Amino acid sequence: MTLQENLFGGPPATHLPERPEAQAAMEGGTEPSKVVTEWPDFSEGWAALAELALTENNPVAAYAYARTGYHRGLDQLRRAGWKGHGPIPWAHRPNQGFLRALAALSRAAQAINDVEEYERCRQFLADSDPEAPAQLGLA
């Protein structure tokens, strides 16, 4: 039995594939805009842009960046076998970009008074991994 095994018969955890070059670029301090120019489907780069826009009090740009990262991540999750529900573990490094984009989308939605989207994203994050909200400061 693994830690990600669902004993209640639900779907297995989804693990996005490693992206060593894009991950190394982010970890090496490459500007997120350059990362997404090189790898436009890399959710972590879009999440970083959204987080930066939020710190700069630019929630509209943050919303756009976060939504892009979120949708690119959904595409990848589906290709990895995700069926629209089930665990997306924070502990798996490649999943973190998608989860960060989802958290940033929640924050940006709150900042532009889109209460329904804010709540939907917060719930989706908690449903993906109950530890993710705390990891991302949304607990």
Side-chain angles (χ1 to χ4, degrees):
M1 181 172 82
T2 66
L3 290 178
Q4 299 301 327
E5 186 176 338
N6 187 331
L7 299 177
F8 298 107
T14 302
H15 296 94
L16 291 173
E18 294 287 336
R19 303 286 302 272
E21 291 179 4
Q23 288 169 206
M26 289 298 297
E27 290 168 359
T30 303
E31 291 180 29
S33 61
K34 291 182 180 182
V35 172
V36 300
T37 299
E38 181 74 22
W39 299 281
D41 65 340
F42 188 56
S43 291
E44 184 177 336
W46 292 106
L49 286 168
E51 292 161 352
L52 180 60
L54 285 167
T55 65
E56 295 173 344
N57 198 30
N58 191 348
V60 173
Y63 188 92
Y65 291 139
R67 183 153 295 283
T68 300
Y70 165 78
H71 279 287
R72 298 310 293 261
L74 284 177
D75 293 342
Q76 292 168 24
L77 285 165
R78 289 182 185 113
R79 284 194 300 271
W82 187 71
K83 305 288 188 218
H85 64 285
I88 305 167
W90 169 262
H92 181 65
R93 167 70 171 80
N95 290 354
Q96 291 177 11
F98 169 75
L99 296 171
R100 284 174 56 196
L102 182 56
L105 183 56
S106 179
R107 284 189 183 98
Q110 182 181 37
I112 63 171
N113 298 314
D114 187 347
V115 176
E116 184 178 320
E117 182 74 347
Y118 163 72
E119 291 174 357
R120 183 189 70 78
C121 291
R122 280 184 54 91
Q123 187 62 54
F124 187 4
L125 186 64
D127 290 346
S128 296
D129 185 333
E131 294 180 20
Q135 291 291 333
L136 295 162
L138 290 175

